[in-house]
Amino acid sequence: MNLNYPFVRPRRLRNSPQLLALVQETKLDPSKFIMPYFVSHGKGIKEPIGTMPDQFRYSIDELLKELKKVEDLKIGGILLFGIPEHKDEFASEAYSDNGIMQQTVKAIKDEYPDILIINDVCMCDYTSHGHCGIVDEKGYVKNDETLEYLAKISVSYAKAGSDIIAPSDMMDGRIRKIRESLDEEGFVNIPIMSYSSKYASAFYSPFRDAADCFPKFGNRKSYQMDPANSDEAVLETELDLEEGADIIMVKPALSYLDIIYKIKQTFKRPLAAYNVSGEYSMIKAAAKLGYIDEELAVLETLTSMKRAGADIIITYFSLYAAKLIG
Ligand code: PBG
């Protein structure tokens, strides 16, 4: 090929909005967005989350009002996190028939049967110590014991009517255990969206404030991945796919665009990127200070995730971006 100026001028195709639209390679689509929500017990609650401007903790009745927007904007789905009334070392509210998630899923399915409901499966919101599993005397999260609980929680969400089970705990072997348990209970057609490459990240802090799940001691580095590692993401993803994951994930998104690219290229399977709470709040904070333009920054960052290879984007900006795309 003889790509030579002045015959080749890339600027020719940037000369009008029509031309730009014609050659645009990546397009955001609200049907590929997933909007996370935090749900708590009670009535009439829409409580602002201090570290996540414009995000709220909803009681079920208030969430139902909010979900009209999700339906109207044709958002791909919602990802639910529960804030329990009761925490203990076994996360028992997570698998209680009358737990916050079970009540929420049933209520949504009654009013909005067509909204796709994804349930995050983890124990940290529900444990007294804030870790993602069963903890031993030394504070270590016990892998194999935790699997039993994760499976129990998953089956309980499926019984309530969940459409997708999304384990975020990072225990080894969880996908196989959850798949087997769902199948035994007859839920062979409920997909698993695995948080397959989940890094131990500083960008989860606002979420931990929102869901009240800061670990009371230690950190999550014995189960979440080291941000320095890339090959390890391939191993984690391969294991989850072999164990039966239907959708894989990279989390967080912005500091891990290389991982998104690599995982998509390697596996060519449906891939979600989680644009996490800290990524959301950084943009909100900088925009509030007038340092950046919020609309442009949101569209640019979401586009970069898609361009890197994400099919699905989990983002607190779902409704905002859907309105912008119009
Ligand atoms: C639960 C979980 C976390 C997030 C999603 N599921 C927190 C954590 O692992 O500490 C973070 C999401 C976000 O920051 O938006 N394990």
Side-chain angles (χ1 to χ4, degrees):
M1 234 198 303
N2 196 9
L3 289 178
N4 266 327
Y5 170 84
F7 306 110
V8 179
R9 290 178 184 265
R11 290 185 61 194
R12 257 184 223 129
L13 292 178
R14 299 183 199 132
N15 224 7
S16 71
Q18 291 79 359
L19 277 170
L20 281 168
L22 196 68
V23 299
Q24 188 171 69
E25 297 175 40
T26 310
K27 209 168 167 54
L28 292 171
D29 173 359
S31 73
K32 303 295 184 104
F33 291 162
I34 293 170
M35 178 68 188
Y37 285 107
F38 302 96
V39 198
S40 60
H41 290 276
K43 271 210 158 61
I45 298 168
K46 186 177 172 183
E47 181 190 359
I49 298 166
T51 50
M52 298 180 73
D54 300 329
Q55 298 297 317
F56 302 86
R57 290 186 202 92
Y58 296 91
S59 53
I60 295 174
D61 55 335
E62 291 294 323
L63 179 68
L64 292 175
K65 291 183 205 162
E66 170 76 14
L67 291 182
K68 179 84 176 60
K69 297 180 199 161
V70 168
E71 197 171 61
D72 290 347
L73 289 165
K74 301 188 168 48
I75 305 294
I78 59 174
L79 175 63
L80 298 178
F81 296 96
I83 299 160
E85 221 149 38
H86 166 77
K87 299 194 188 218
D88 59 36
E89 58 184 308
F90 303 107
S92 56
E93 195 181 316
Y95 50 86
S96 148
D97 286 346
N98 214 19
I100 183 64
M101 276 297 89
Q102 290 76 359
Q103 290 184 33
T104 306
V105 172
K106 282 179 203 149
I108 297 172
K109 279 293 165 199
D110 276 350
E111 198 157 330
Y112 300 98
D114 295 333
I115 290 184
L116 187 85
I117 304 178
I118 306 171
N119 278 92
D120 180 275
V121 170
C122 192
M123 294 171 74
C124 63
D125 302 7
Y126 302 87
T127 49
S128 38
H129 45 66
H131 275 289
C132 303
I134 302 293
V135 166
D136 72 10
E137 325 65 60
K138 295 195 186 104
Y140 184 76
V141 176
K142 298 197 277 186
N143 193 87
D144 301 5
E145 288 81 347
T146 300
L147 299 185
E148 301 291 333
Y149 288 87
L150 297 170
K152 215 153 62 161
I153 298 167
S154 302
V155 167
S156 173
Y157 291 166
K159 280 185 181 156
S162 179
D163 294 303
I164 298 182
I165 295 298
S168 67
D169 51 280
M170 287 303 278
M171 296 303 122
D172 295 333
R174 70 210 204 280
I175 303 302
R176 181 186 308 278
K177 179 73 192 167
I178 291 172
R179 185 71 271 158
E180 282 171 0
S181 303
L182 289 172
D183 288 2
E184 271 165 28
E185 296 287 336
F187 298 109
V188 292
N189 281 327
I190 298 287
I192 297 176
M193 179 169 85
S194 166
Y195 286 63
S196 43
S197 313
K198 178 172 176 180
Y199 286 88
S201 170
F203 296 104
Y204 305 152
S205 288
F207 173 97
R208 291 177 189 171
D209 175 38
D212 184 25
C213 67
F214 277 103
K216 299 268 186 310
F217 53 83
N219 54 49
R220 304 209 203 288
K221 289 183 186 170
S222 85
Y223 40 105
Q224 298 181 352
M225 289 166 57
D226 182 347
N229 295 352
S230 164
D231 291 342
E232 194 184 2
V234 176
L235 171 66
E236 284 281 8
T237 309
E238 194 166 344
L239 283 169
D240 285 7
L241 285 169
E242 281 189 354
E243 290 176 25
D246 302 281
I247 299 173
I248 50 183
M249 192 193 300
V250 173
K251 175 185 173 193
L254 279 182
S255 295
Y256 300 87
L257 294 175
D258 58 325
I259 308 295
I260 294 175
Y261 182 79
K262 183 163 165 169
I263 294 299
K264 186 62 186 179
Q265 296 296 314
T266 307
F267 297 103
K268 306 207 183 305
R269 298 287 282 271
L271 172 63
Y274 199 142
N275 179 210
V276 300
S277 57
E279 299 171 336
Y280 171 85
S281 297
M282 277 198 299
I283 289 184
K284 294 300 273 188
K288 196 170 168 200
L289 288 166
Y291 293 170
I292 58 166
D293 179 310
E294 182 170 350
E295 290 187 15
L296 294 178
V298 169
L299 293 178
E300 184 175 334
T301 50
L302 295 178
T303 300
S304 73
M305 295 164 206
K306 183 109 203 240
R307 192 192 62 230
D311 302 294
I312 300 161
I313 302 175
I314 304 169
T315 178
Y316 303 92
F317 285 121
S318 291
L319 274 56
Y320 179 81
K323 281 184 214 146
L324 291 181
I325 299 163

